[in-house]
Amino acid sequence: QGASINATGNQSNIVIRGGVLELAEQASVNNFTSPNSFASSGDIVIRAQTIRLKDISSITNTTGFASFSFGNSGDILIDTQTLEVKDGSFISNIVGDLSLGKGGKVGITASSKILISGRDPTGVIPSAVFSNTLSGGDAGPIFLSAPDIQLENGAEINGSAVNIGSGRPADITLSADTISLTGGSQILARSLFGVGEGSIITLKGLGGANPDPSPAQSIFISGLAESPNPLVNNRPSGIINNALSG
């Protein structure tokens, strides 16, 4: 329970390869910038046939969250056949409130399916892919690519800027044949209290390339959240890209 793999330092990478990778019971893989330094964190690179996160487990790359840092956070790069993120587990790249650096990319490619499902038992923590900034540094972009991308039961893809600085929310791109958001699941790229520029949310098909990508074959958005958390209960599924202040 709570087992972890950690790296801290100047571009110290974490590389995991295998057949099946399962993180359970709050297990975590973490990469941090060195405290009070100009150093950037390294990348987290995971290649496995099946990847499962459950029981509030996590994969995180962070700069300046608990100590001052000028460095950037590294990328999170995942290549798999099937990714499942459940029970309040999350994959996150965070620019902390004590950072002057920028966030790295969250890039997830699955040859079959990406499933992000549910929340923790209290309904407070969503199963999610995050790229957030809490300071003046920009959040890194989120890229998800798979034939089938499903968010269900209050899950989130969240690229918001939660700050009083100029940090920009993450651009979010989903490439898939089928994209579904059900049961109060949401894709968010909000600017909360900050003055940074807005971001772009793109949903497109697997074929084609910018500036003329092919459309997804199906985009399905439906349903309300059912949660013990009153702040989430009855929340509609949807895509939100706005500035609440600033």
Side-chain angles (χ1 to χ4, degrees):
Q1 183 175 3
S4 63
I5 298 172
N6 301 309
T8 303
N10 188 5
Q11 298 181 334
S12 299
N13 296 326
I14 297 175
V15 179
I16 300 173
R17 294 186 177 92
V20 177
L21 172 65
E22 181 169 293
L23 302 181
E25 298 183 341
Q26 301 180 36
S28 61
V29 177
N30 309 296
N31 207 332
F32 305 95
T33 53
S34 298
N36 305 313
S37 75
F38 290 85
S40 297
S41 66
D43 298 334
I44 298 174
V45 180
I46 301 176
R47 294 186 177 92
Q49 183 173 352
T50 301
I51 300 173
R52 303 188 191 99
L53 282 71
K54 61 182 184 179
D55 310 324
I56 322 179
S57 297
S58 60
I59 299 170
T60 64
N61 207 327
T62 307
T63 175
F65 192 73
S67 62
F68 189 78
S69 174
F70 287 92
N72 302 321
S73 65
D75 295 336
I76 298 176
L77 304 173
I78 295 175
D79 189 356
T80 185
Q81 179 176 328
T82 301
L83 171 68
E84 297 181 354
V85 182
K86 298 181 176 181
D87 310 324
S89 298
F90 54 91
I91 299 168
S92 67
N93 201 318
I94 304 296
V95 180
D97 57 343
L98 298 177
S99 176
L100 295 179
K102 296 182 179 181
K105 174 174 68 176
V106 179
I108 302 172
T109 301
S111 60
S112 179
K113 181 175 72 174
I114 296 172
L115 172 64
I116 308 172
S117 176
R119 303 175 79 93
D120 78 312
T122 68
V124 173
I125 304 173
S127 303
V129 175
F130 293 117
S131 181
N132 301 136
T133 177
L134 310 180
S135 70
D138 294 343
I142 298 173
F143 297 96
L144 272 64
S145 177
D148 185 17
I149 298 177
Q150 300 178 25
L151 279 70
E152 61 181 25
N153 301 326
E156 293 183 7
I157 297 173
N158 191 321
S160 297
V162 186
N163 55 28
I164 57 173
S166 59
R168 183 177 181 273
D171 290 333
I172 300 173
T173 303
L174 274 60
S175 298
D177 294 328
T178 301
I179 300 169
S180 65
L181 284 68
T182 59
S185 297
Q186 294 185 345
I187 300 172
L188 308 103
R190 299 182 294 183
S191 180
L192 305 179
F193 318 115
V195 296
E197 297 178 356
S199 63
I200 299 171
I201 299 176
T202 303
L203 278 60
K204 62 188 184 72
L206 290 173
N210 290 327
D212 296 310
S214 62
Q217 296 176 15
S218 172
I219 299 175
F220 182 72
I221 302 174
S222 178
L224 303 176
E226 297 181 4
S227 173
N229 180 0
L231 298 178
V232 177
N233 192 42
N234 290 324
R235 183 183 77 171
S237 302
I239 301 171
I240 301 173
N241 186 0
N242 61 9
L244 299 188
S245 178

